[in-house]
Amino acid sequence: IGKMQDISSQAGRTVLFVSHDMGAIQSLCSRLMLLKNGQIFFKGGVSEGIDSYLISRKYLQMKKQEN
């Protein structure tokens, strides 16, 4: 992660970082895009995106428990 921080902090650089590690995403990213079934589910700020991800994940877990 340290090397990714060095690269992404350089002016004029855009880095595509693919991860399910929310801590790493928070420390490295200034913007976030979430994909669901290959489609953009969310695009925007990191904290809002993580909240959206966690809410949708919790919803899916609740739906599984109902069945």
Side-chain angles (χ1 to χ4, degrees):
I1 292 183
K3 186 67 172 172
M4 288 293 294
Q5 287 175 324
D6 292 343
I7 293 168
S8 66
S9 66
Q10 295 175 10
R13 292 267 173 128
T14 299
V15 176
L16 176 63
F17 180 66
V18 179
S19 179
H20 292 268
D21 182 340
M22 295 300 132
I25 291 168
Q26 284 181 312
S27 68
L28 289 173
C29 303
S30 58
R31 305 270 302 148
L32 177 67
M33 182 183 302
L34 298 174
L35 300 177
K36 185 174 186 177
N37 300 322
Q39 301 295 314
I40 297 173
F41 172 67
F42 174 88
K43 185 167 58 169
V46 174
S47 60
E48 297 90 355
I50 290 174
D51 287 347
S52 179
Y53 168 77
L54 293 174
I55 289 167
S56 68
R57 188 172 165 173
K58 179 134 181 123
Y59 173 77
L60 290 174
Q61 287 174 347
M62 288 172 37
K63 289 300 250 180
K64 272 187 176 178
Q65 289 176 353
E66 288 176 3
N67 294 329

